[in-house]
Amino acid sequence: MQVKILHVVGARPNFMKAAPVMRALASHAGVSQTLVHTGQHYDANMSEIFFRQLGLPAPDVNLEVGFGSHAVQTAHIIMRFEEVALAQQPDLVLVYGDVNSTVAAALVCAKLKIPVGHVEAGLRSFDRSMPEEINRLLTDQVADLLFTPSADGNENLKREGVAPEKIHLVGNVMIDTLIRLLPETEKRRPPVMPAPQSYGLVTLHRPANVDAPEMLVKIMGTLDEISRRLPLIFTIHPRTRQNLQNIGFAPSQASFTLIDPLSYLDFLTLQRHAKLVITDSGGVQEETTYLGVPCLTMRPNTERPVTVELGTNILVGADGARLKMEVARILAGESKPGAVPPLWDGNAGERIAAVIWNFRF
Ligand code: UD1
């Protein structure tokens, strides 16, 4: 059997999800793979360095869409990806996660009647004010193969009327990458490397937290205060950096370090040794759960409830007082215990490859 598979990635969190699937499929003779990068993320430290560290091949095609409003970005991906899909005629297109590139490529495939598989299907925050939630809902409605990371995903999809035979519980591909590359962090020295357990790590980039100046001023004030008790390292996403410049923020403490986005391995090194992590990222909630590092998520909800039910994650919302209280508890040695969810075992990519291999094209 000859099967032609096309992978679509665009933004930073897609890269660590595609890598294990491409590796697993590479071991099947008869599968040919093409990698399309939409160019949604284009800075070297948001894209290129990830390709290198994850061992991803250079993209075969780059759509170079860059930044625009959600409508403009999504429309450009749709127009440019349609040409690629028509020229390549793949048997299956795989899309990852919940970014604009994911929904744009899935929609193109649905219209061209090309089967599409969604890796990380079924996650729901039930918060339609988040662009990612819209992307998840629409992608799952048009996908033919839905690969879920946890059982809650299966329940959500069935409730939305997705045929059960399309849904495959495979586990978490992001954790595949973490497990494979964790040994490489043993001797690594990121640009900032405090002693283990002596610092907190911060990432924030959700529009709800960083786009409104009043909210960002409040959050930065709280973090500045926390850094008096626990040194903080804040790795700053490009959208957050722009907004911090707009509000003219500067830390009052030398113990509050602001740095550019880090490579995958540097960030993972800092994560595994952190006393705690403060974030609004989806992937970081999962990685901290696997690593057993306390995670305080600055969101009112999560599409990854398993990280709260089983893992080390606590939702603190935008409540500064709650955040300070949870930090104090962790510093007092009262961290919430956590367990690794089922099937977060490093073999999700292999399970996806097996399902695809048995799919009737
Ligand atoms: C996107 C995803 C989000 C994901 C995040 C991870 C959507 C809807 N959102 O959000 O789910 O968690 O990626 O990082 O797809 N920029 C640069 N360089 C880059 C990329 C972006 O400077 O390489 C700037 C853009 O010009 C823009 C801002 O960062 O001002 C936001 O980029 P955008 O792609 O719109 O979304 P993210 O916030 O990165």
Side-chain angles (χ1 to χ4, degrees), residues 11-13 39-47 66-68 70 73 98-101 131-132 135 205-207 237-240 242 280-282:
R12 188 173 56 178
Q40 180 177 344
H41 283 177
Y42 44 85
D43 285 1
N45 65 358
M46 296 291 286
S47 177
F67 181 61
H70 281 247
Q73 192 176 58
D98 55 17
V99 301
N100 289 342
S101 303
E132 293 82 2
N135 295 346
H205 70 279
R206 294 277 161 218
H237 185 280
R239 90 176 297 120
T240 312
Q242 282 169 15
D280 58 13
S281 147

Side-chain angles (χ1 to χ4, degrees), residues 20 41 63 80 137 163 166 181 192 197 213 240 327-328 331 336 350:
H41 283 177
L63 305 180
R80 295 179 198 178
L137 282 160
K166 291 184 180 174
L181 294 178
V192 201
Q197 300 287 306
T240 312
V327 169
L331 293 181
K336 172 188 173 204
E350 295 292 343

Side-chain angles (χ1 to χ4, degrees), residues 12-310:
R12 188 173 56 178
N14 291 156
F15 309 141
M16 34 294 217
K17 294 169 193 167
V21 180
M22 289 193 83
R23 288 170 77 86
L25 284 168
S27 63
H28 288 265
V31 172
S32 75
Q33 306 191 66
T34 301
L35 182 59
V36 177
H37 191 330
T38 65
Q40 180 177 344
H41 283 177
Y42 44 85
D43 285 1
N45 65 358
M46 296 291 286
S47 177
E48 198 184 303
I49 181 121
F50 286 80
F51 273 69
R52 245 182 291 136
Q53 293 191 345
L54 299 169
L56 275 170
D60 299 287
V61 182
N62 194 324
L63 305 180
E64 294 180 351
V65 295
F67 181 61
S69 69
H70 281 247
V72 167
Q73 192 176 58
T74 308
H76 280 149
I77 299 170
I78 287 176
M79 290 192 299
R80 295 179 198 178
F81 181 65
E82 185 186 45
E83 285 177 26
V84 175
L86 283 170
Q88 303 253 348
Q89 296 289 330
D91 298 302
L92 175 71
V93 170
L94 289 178
V95 297
Y96 296 85
D98 55 17
V99 301
N100 289 342
S101 303
T102 311
V103 66
L107 194 54
V108 169
C109 294
K111 301 271 183 178
L112 294 179
K113 301 193 172 48
I114 298 171
V116 59
H118 183 204
V119 176
E120 200 185 84
L123 298 186
R124 296 290 179 269
S125 65
F126 304 101
D127 175 359
R128 292 196 182 192
S129 70
M130 289 178 72
E132 293 82 2
E133 184 73 355
I134 306 299
N135 295 346
R136 291 181 200 113
L137 282 160
L138 298 182
T139 304
D140 285 342
Q141 278 301 316
V142 297
D144 301 282
L145 283 171
L146 297 101
F147 300 107
T148 58
S150 46
D152 53 286
N154 293 48
E155 293 310 311
N156 293 333
L157 293 172
K158 283 185 204 153
R159 202 180 325 104
E160 289 166 17
V162 176
E165 60 273 18
K166 291 184 180 174
I167 309 171
H168 302 272
L169 177 57
V170 292
N172 192 319
V173 282
M174 198 150 199
I175 300 302
D176 283 13
T177 293
L178 188 157
I179 291 174
R180 180 169 70 86
L181 294 178
L182 198 57
E184 295 200 20
T185 64
E186 291 294 342
K187 296 202 177 86
R188 203 169 172 92
R189 309 289 305 169
V192 201
M193 188 63 225
Q197 300 287 306
S198 69
Y199 62 94
L201 183 62
V202 183
T203 74
L204 295 170
H205 70 279
R206 294 277 161 218
N209 283 331
V210 304
D211 281 2
E214 322 78 66
M215 177 63 98
L216 189 58
V217 167
K218 225 172 79 186
I219 290 176
M220 295 311 289
T222 307
L223 294 174
D224 202 55
E225 229 180 280
I226 291 172
S227 72
R228 287 179 212 158
R229 293 196 59 192
L230 176 71
L232 292 181
I233 300 170
F234 190 165
T235 63
I236 306 179
H237 185 280
R239 90 176 297 120
T240 312
R241 177 166 297 285
Q242 282 169 15
N243 295 331
L244 283 177
Q245 273 160 8
N246 295 343
I247 63 166
F249 175 80
S252 75
Q253 310 292 317
S255 53
F256 192 5
T257 308
L258 307 188
I259 51 172
D260 282 338
L262 292 172
S263 70
Y264 179 78
L265 289 173
D266 282 345
F267 190 76
L268 184 56
T269 309
L270 283 184
Q271 234 186 133
R272 73 180 293 187
H273 295 302
K275 183 81 184 164
L276 56 88
V277 175
I278 299 171
T279 192
D280 58 13
S281 147
V284 172
Q285 294 173 56
E286 297 180 338
E287 289 168 347
T288 46
T289 273
Y290 184 84
L291 295 167
V293 173
C295 181
L296 302 174
T297 298
M298 298 201 68
R299 284 179 43 192
N301 51 50
T302 179
E303 62 289 337
R304 293 159 162 92
V306 73
T307 61
V308 175
E309 286 151 19
L310 286 181

